[in-house]
Amino acid sequence: MNITIGLALLVVCATVYALIKRYETRLVLLAAGLFLCCISLDPMYGLDAMGKSMTNKSLIMAICGSMGFAF
């Protein structure tokens, strides 16, 4: 098994464990995502993907709706 795949599986298992133990969800998912981006040797990929998805029209509607509901 490739070392990258092994590390990725370990990160996923650690993430699931941390979520079950009720650690801060946003912090756990952000840290796991950044670590996976660093493992893939492309640390900016996560930010590029977020920037690309933020210009999607359907996502803007969902964000505005959830912000209005939260207000």
Side-chain angles (χ1 to χ4, degrees), residues 1-30:
M1 179 165 54
N2 192 354
I3 188 76
T4 306
I5 294 172
L7 282 173
L9 288 173
L10 185 66
V11 170
V12 170
C13 291
T15 303
V16 170
Y17 176 77
L19 292 174
I20 289 173
K21 291 299 248 180
R22 305 269 224 178
Y23 291 117
E24 176 65 30
T25 305
R26 293 172 290 186
L27 178 65
V28 169
L29 294 176
L30 181 68

Side-chain angles (χ1 to χ4, degrees), residues 2 6 8 14 16-17 23 32 40 42-43 46 52-53 63-64 68:
N2 192 354
V16 170
Y17 176 77
Y23 291 117
S40 70
D42 190 10
K52 187 179 286 186
S53 69
I63 289 173
C64 289

